[in-house]
Amino acid sequence: MISSEDIANNLSSVKASIDAAAAESGRQAAAVNLVAVSKTHGPETINTAIAAGQKVFGENRVQEAEAKWPELKAANPSAQLHLIGPLQRNKAALAVRLFDVIETLDRAKLATALARHMDEIGRRPNCFIQINTGEEEQKAGVAPRDADDFINRCRVELNLPVVGLMCIPPVDEEPALHFALLREVAERNGLADLSMGMSADFETAIQFGATYVRVGTAIFGPRSDYWQTQSA
Ligand SMILES: *Cc1c(COP(=O)(O)O)cnc(C)c1O
């Protein structure tokens, strides 16, 4: 397991890189939010990051988050949790209760389910719409050509709290093109937030206007087997 010291050091170096990338593109560093992606890591590791001052975390699996986060949140009420992985409709109600931000709104049936559950539960996590900028078959997200209609439908017809867009560029392509496309779709729809950039490319994403970067490995090191052993 990674040491507390390493996590604190990694966090400060990621933050220094964020500051530098923001400065280089004439942006305020405070406009870039760091989502520490804690998937696969156990509560002890996450607590170390919290103790080092990190407040916003990302998880990609609802079940894993449900096992880890109620206790962490009770102990750290200011921690904010983002869902960054695919959401199945039958877990939508749970996600509305558990997460502060849902970054992976990507299809009409899920949008309808989220709107209904938010009304019933009386909790309205901000949503990002995931755009499949690379139009990859196996990847979730709305196709760029359908984005304007889908965004409009979520906001106007369903009254969902849509704040921005999210993308995961294809692994083998220049991410800058995808970040630029995401920004273009957000701008023409009047959406302020862009969730883009991971450990390998968050500096580029910041140059293209990212307001949220999702960084896992550069903070916590390689994925852990904590969750596998818990769920086995
Ligand atoms: C795992 C994950 C990340 C973090 O990836 P790293 O390369 O470890 O920084 C970011 N976004 C999503 C959607 C992820 O699933």
Side-chain angles (χ1 to χ4, degrees), residues 106-176:
D106 65 352
R107 57 201 194 279
K109 282 182 174 168
L110 177 61
T112 308
L114 283 172
R116 180 165 55 84
H117 292 308
M118 285 187 196
D119 286 345
E120 282 168 7
I121 294 166
R123 198 168 184 277
R124 305 183 65 75
N126 279 343
C127 296
F128 285 71
I129 291 173
Q130 183 174 356
I131 307 292
N132 188 357
T133 56
E135 304 198 42
E136 295 172 279
E137 288 276 333
Q138 80 287 5
K139 200 167 272 176
V142 179
R145 65 179 170 282
D146 299 329
D148 295 0
D149 278 351
F150 185 70
I151 293 166
N152 196 51
R153 182 155 183 239
C154 288
R155 294 162 107 182
V156 177
E157 280 177 39
L158 296 171
N159 198 27
L160 283 166
V162 177
V163 297
L165 304 179
M166 177 269 210
C167 76
I168 309 169
V171 285
D172 52 356
E173 286 182 30
E174 174 52 57

Side-chain angles (χ1 to χ4, degrees), residues 37 39 60 84 166 168 198-199 214-217 223:
V37 177
K39 65 188 185 199
N60 70 332
I84 61 167
M166 177 269 210
I168 309 169
M198 320 199 332
S199 291
R214 310 177 307 265
V215 179
T217 315
R223 314 270 185 248

